[in-house]
Amino acid sequence: MKSRVISIMVILILFVGIGIYWKQNQSKTEAETGAPDIGSAVETANEDAPSEVALSEEKMKNIQLTVAPVKRQPLSQIRMVPGRLQYDDRKHVSIKAPADGVLVEVRVKTGDEIKEGQVLAVLNSPEIGTARADLLQRTAEYELAQKQFGWKNEIQNNVQKLVDALLSKQPMPEIEKEFANEKLGDYRSQLLPAYSRYLLAEMINSKSAPLAKSGAISLQSLKRRETEMQDARADLKSLCEQSIYDVKLERDREQARVNDAEHRMTISRQNLEALLGATVDPGSKELKAAEKLSRLEVIAPFSGTIEDRTFSRSERVNRSDALFTLAQTDTLWVAADIRESDWAAISLTGSQELQVKVNSYPDETFPARLYYLGRSVSPVTNSVPLIAEIKNPDGKLRPGMFVQVLIPGKQKSDVITVPARAVLDDAQQEFVFVKTSDRSFRRVDIQSGLKTEDWVEVQNGLTEGEQVVDEGAFTLKSELLLEREE
């Protein structure tokens, strides 16, 4: 039994030794002969790959190839941004009910073309009637205050003239004649008697002096008459001064009442105008007509089209209910969003002219003018809003249409360019095919720069005047790949 176990162990040790010896010899062989290098093989294969395509005459006939020269020219980049047509907010309004009431007439329907000032509907509103009645009352108060002020102002002027005449000692008959038909109010009965007393005292005093010299009257009587004259003159002067003050004060009070009445009338008129949405003439016959106090005509603020009508005749409406939507579509707005990533590539200034392509009219381009450009980036869309104004005199364009806005970007004045169709890509390397003979074309790797829809700037790889394949370049690429596989 022991001898059998020993024999098995010897055999196992022998096999392990043979395996180790074989492996060591194999490693030496590979070291001496050299193992294949996969990276070197791939690099050699790429270096050996063909870069030129030669076409047979038959293929040249079947393939439509065109070539274009490499040329220098100015290049302007255009960014195309999606957008949508909208109503011009300046010509798109919602006409709302100014007060609670009942629609007694609706004179237009959706789609109607209307003129500025046209009556759209008639509303019966107690609030409008109250506002009209208040304006009439305030207007009457103002007119009455004006009349009272005119009366006081005329009295003041006449009293001033009368006082001047009295103080200049005009004869009483002349004064009475001059002011017989002038308005003086209560001041006539105050000033004229005082002036008469003064004249009488002065006359008595003047006649007393000769009598005193002749001894007909005593000196004491003479002194008393002089005193009476002086008192009458003082009373007259005092009364004149007080009259001038009083009449001016009365005039100023009436002026204040006129101003207050005018302010209240203006507030009432503005309140009514706010309800009506139109100017109001306080003196108009229509305003004073009792049967029209509560009647309100809803007027179109400008010419346009009724885009929407919300209510019908006999319906009750509340303040601020939208009755109609009125719009003009001879001009529209183009609304677009400029992505933050495109901001550095565009160039927009002032009211710059833009071009708009409408999806419904693929063969036309419509001019537009920049109206508004946002200053902040929206955190929701990560973009900047742009609004452009576009003319639409024939109504061809409609709000809601999708459009493409062509926005000017970077510009270069003199660069080497090739047609955009000539530039191909292979493993993130751009290249073109350069014509070397009638049926031979060589691949040339390039470094591109500014790109537009039709042209590509070439910064490195080509020189001016070389001929590159324009139409059919992709076919040459396929031919080149087939040759590599072979």
Side-chain angles (χ1 to χ4, degrees):
M1 186 68 179
K2 288 182 178 180
S3 60
R4 181 177 296 178
V5 172
I6 293 172
S7 299
I8 293 172
M9 291 179 64
V10 170
I11 294 172
L12 290 174
I13 292 170
L14 181 61
F15 275 113
V16 170
I18 292 172
I20 293 172
Y21 176 77
W22 181 84
K23 187 173 182 180
Q24 289 178 348
N25 287 341
Q26 183 68 20
S27 298
K28 290 180 180 180
T29 303
E30 290 181 357
E32 292 175 356
T33 59
D37 188 348
I38 297 176
S40 299
V42 172
E43 183 177 352
T44 302
N46 287 338
E47 289 178 354
D48 294 340
S51 61
E52 190 162 340
V53 179
L55 300 178
S56 63
E57 292 185 2
E58 184 178 355
K59 284 187 176 181
M60 284 293 295
K61 294 179 181 179
N62 295 331
I63 299 175
Q64 298 295 327
L65 294 180
T66 60
V67 295
V70 178
K71 61 180 181 180
R72 285 185 174 275
Q73 64 178 343
L75 203 59
S76 299
Q77 193 176 42
I78 300 295
R79 292 280 177 162
M80 187 173 291
V81 179
R84 187 187 289 271
L85 295 181
Q86 296 181 351
Y87 288 107
D88 185 339
D89 281 355
R90 300 165 299 179
K91 302 178 181 180
H92 179 262
V93 296
S94 177
I95 301 176
K96 299 181 179 181
D100 298 348
V102 176
L103 284 172
V104 294
E105 290 183 47
V106 178
R107 300 184 181 180
V108 295
K109 63 181 183 301
T110 302
D112 284 354
E113 296 286 339
I114 55 94
K115 300 295 183 181
E116 180 179 355
Q118 182 175 336
V119 178
L120 307 180
V122 178
L123 180 69
N124 193 348
S125 170
E127 185 178 357
I128 297 295
T130 301
R132 279 200 175 104
D134 183 69
L135 177 57
L136 291 174
Q137 175 65 25
R138 298 301 180 186
T139 302
E141 291 174 355
Y142 172 67
E143 292 174 352
L144 182 61
Q146 276 189 316
K147 290 180 180 179
Q148 191 68 16
F149 170 74
W151 170 261
K152 292 296 182 181
N153 187 58
E154 188 175 359
I155 289 178
Q156 183 204 12
N157 294 333
N158 292 334
V159 168
Q160 183 66 55
K161 292 178 182 178
L162 177 59
V163 168
D164 292 340
L166 297 179
L167 295 179
S168 65
K169 296 179 65 175
Q170 290 184 15
M172 191 64 178
E174 293 182 6
I175 291 177
E176 290 179 344
K177 181 179 180 181
E178 180 181 354
F179 292 93
N181 298 320
E182 299 293 340
K183 296 180 178 66
L184 293 170
D186 295 337
Y187 296 98
R188 184 189 300 274
S189 61
Q190 297 174 14
L191 291 171
L192 292 181
Y195 185 57
S196 296
R197 288 193 295 271
Y198 166 67
L199 291 178
L200 178 61
E202 185 181 41
M203 181 186 67
I204 294 173
N205 180 64
S206 63
K207 291 182 178 181
S208 297
L211 294 175
K213 287 181 181 181
S214 63
I217 61 173
S218 63
L219 291 175
Q220 185 178 2
S221 297
L222 178 63
K223 290 294 184 183
R224 185 176 65 251
R225 292 176 180 179
E226 288 179 354
T227 301
E228 290 175 354
M229 182 196 68
Q230 292 173 356
D231 290 344
R233 183 170 56 191
D235 290 343
L236 177 62
K237 187 175 181 181
S238 175
L239 183 59
C240 288
E241 291 174 350
Q242 187 64 42
S243 298
I244 290 175
Y245 173 77
D246 289 344
V247 74
K248 185 177 184 303
L249 183 62
E250 291 174 4
R251 175 192 174 278
D252 291 343
R253 285 174 180 168
E254 294 303 325
Q255 178 69 71
R257 290 192 181 97
V258 168
N259 293 338
D260 180 66
E262 184 179 17
H263 293 157
R264 294 180 184 277
M265 182 187 68
T266 301
I267 293 172
S268 180
R269 178 175 56 80
Q270 290 175 346
N271 179 53
L272 181 58
E273 288 178 345
L275 292 174
L276 299 179
T279 57
V280 174
D281 179 11
S284 65
K285 295 181 179 180
E286 184 176 353
L287 179 64
K288 297 178 181 179
E291 68 276 5
K292 294 184 177 181
L293 280 179
S294 299
R295 177 186 175 92
L296 167 64
E297 293 181 343
V298 181
I299 305 297
F302 54 82
S303 301
T305 305
I306 298 296
E307 301 290 322
D308 187 29
R309 190 193 75 179
T310 311
F311 293 92
S312 299
R313 183 177 179 274
S314 300
E315 283 195 272
R316 181 173 294 277
V317 296
N318 298 319
R319 180 194 295 270
S320 299
D321 282 346
L323 304 179
F324 306 97
T325 299
L326 176 63
Q328 274 187 4
T329 57
D330 56 345
T331 61
L332 296 175
W333 277 359
V334 181
D337 291 324
I338 302 175
R339 295 174 297 179
E340 186 178 8
S341 57
D342 291 337
W343 186 251
I346 66 173
S347 176
L348 290 171
T349 57
S351 56
Q352 184 170 344
E353 186 168 316
L354 308 175
Q355 297 297 321
V356 176
K357 289 188 175 181
V358 182
N359 295 358
S360 302
Y361 305 101
D363 298 330
E364 295 186 56
T365 302
F366 300 85
R369 188 166 296 278
L370 180 63
Y371 176 74
Y372 167 77
L373 184 62
R375 298 297 301 169
S376 60
V377 178
S378 170
V380 178
T381 62
N382 201 35
S383 61
V384 174
L386 175 146
I387 298 293
E389 182 183 272
I390 187 170
K391 300 296 183 181
N392 185 36
D394 54 1
K396 195 173 184 178
L397 304 177
R398 293 180 177 271
M401 285 182 169
F402 285 102
V403 298
Q404 299 291 333
V405 185
L406 307 180
I407 302 177
K410 292 182 178 179
Q411 298 182 358
K412 292 187 177 181
S413 59
D414 186 24
V415 293
I416 293 179
T417 62
V418 295
R421 293 185 302 179
V423 180
L424 303 173
D425 181 88
D426 182 17
Q428 297 183 348
Q429 173 60 57
E430 292 179 316
F431 66 93
V432 297
F433 284 103
V434 177
K435 182 178 180 180
T436 55
S437 66
D438 291 343
R439 294 187 290 109
S440 297
F441 307 90
R442 175 171 52 87
R443 166 181 166 163
V444 176
D445 293 344
I446 64 169
Q447 182 179 352
S448 65
L450 192 63
K451 295 181 179 180
T452 69
E453 187 177 357
D454 299 319
W455 297 94
V456 175
E457 175 194 5
V458 178
Q459 297 178 337
N460 189 19
L462 295 175
T463 58
E464 185 179 3
E466 290 185 285
Q467 299 289 320
V468 297
V469 177
D470 182 3
E471 184 178 353
F474 187 78
T475 304
L476 291 181
K477 178 181 177 181
S478 301
E479 290 288 335
L480 186 63
L481 292 176
L482 288 174
E483 291 183 10
R484 286 183 180 181
E485 292 178 359
E486 294 175 356

